[in-house]
C-alpha cells in the first residue's frame, strides 16, 4: 500500500513538474515573440516561420500532455527536446538579427 501511495505521489509530482515546464515554455515563447516582433523588418521574413514552428510545437506538446497524463519519461523528454530546439532556433535568429542591425 505504501508503494502504491508513493508511486501515485511520484506520478502527481511528475505531472506538476511537466505542467510547470509547459508554462515556462509558454513564457519563453511569448518573450521571444515580442523580441522577434521588435527586430528589423528584414529579419521578420526569417523570424516569422521560426515563430510559427515554435508556437506549433508548443501547442502540440500542450495537446499531447492534456490528452495523456500517462506519457512516459521518454515521451516527455522528446517533447521537451523538440520545443527546446525550436526555442533555441528562434533565440539565435533574434540574436543574429540584433547583431546585424548593430553592426
Amino acid at each position: 500500500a505504501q508503494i502504491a501511495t508513493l508511486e501515485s505521489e511520484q506520478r502527481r509530482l511528475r505531472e506538476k513538474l511537466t505542467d510547470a515546464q509547459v508554462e515556462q515554455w509558454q513564457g519563453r515563447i511569448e518573450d521571444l515573440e515580442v523580441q522577434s516582433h521588435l527586430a528589423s523588418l528584414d529579419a521578420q521574413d526569417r523570424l516569422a516561420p521560426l515563430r510559427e514552428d515554435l508556437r506549433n510545437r508548443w501547442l502540440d506538446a500542450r495537446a499531447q500532455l492534456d490528452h495523456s497524463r500517462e506519457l512516459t519519461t521518454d515521451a516527455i523528454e522528446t517533447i521537451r527536446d523538440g520545443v527546446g530546439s525550436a526555442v533555441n532556433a528562434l533565440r539565435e535568429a533574434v540574436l543574429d538579427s540584433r547583431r546585424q542591425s548593430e553592426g
Side-chain angles (χ1 to χ4, degrees):
Q2 287 180 329
I3 291 174
T5 301
L6 290 172
E7 287 173 344
S8 176
E9 180 67 13
Q10 183 182 25
R11 191 172 29 258
R12 187 183 68 75
L13 290 172
R14 191 176 312 123
E15 287 175 6
K16 288 182 95 168
L17 175 62
T18 301
D19 287 342
Q21 288 174 330
V22 169
E23 295 303 317
Q24 180 185 26
W25 290 337
Q26 182 180 13
R28 290 173 65 191
I29 290 167
E30 289 171 355
D31 182 54
L32 287 168
E33 286 177 335
V34 168
Q35 289 179 36
S36 70
H37 283 296
L38 296 174
S40 68
L41 292 177
D42 293 337
Q44 289 299 327
D45 291 339
R46 194 175 80 180
L47 296 176
L50 293 171
R51 277 196 317 265
E52 185 174 335
D53 179 54
L54 177 56
R55 180 59 67 176
N56 288 338
R57 286 182 190 230
W58 181 83
L59 290 171
D60 183 49
R62 185 76 203 175
Q64 287 181 43
L65 293 172
D66 287 345
H67 179 70
S68 176
R69 285 295 175 181
E70 297 300 317
L71 289 175
T72 65
T73 302
D74 289 342
I76 292 170
E77 287 294 322
T78 300
I79 292 168
R80 183 181 302 135
D81 291 346
V83 173
S85 68
V87 165
N88 290 336
L90 183 56
R91 180 185 302 121
E92 285 302 314
V94 168
L95 292 173
D96 285 347
S97 74
R98 281 186 185 165
R99 285 189 285 261
Q100 289 174 2
S101 68
E102 292 172 355

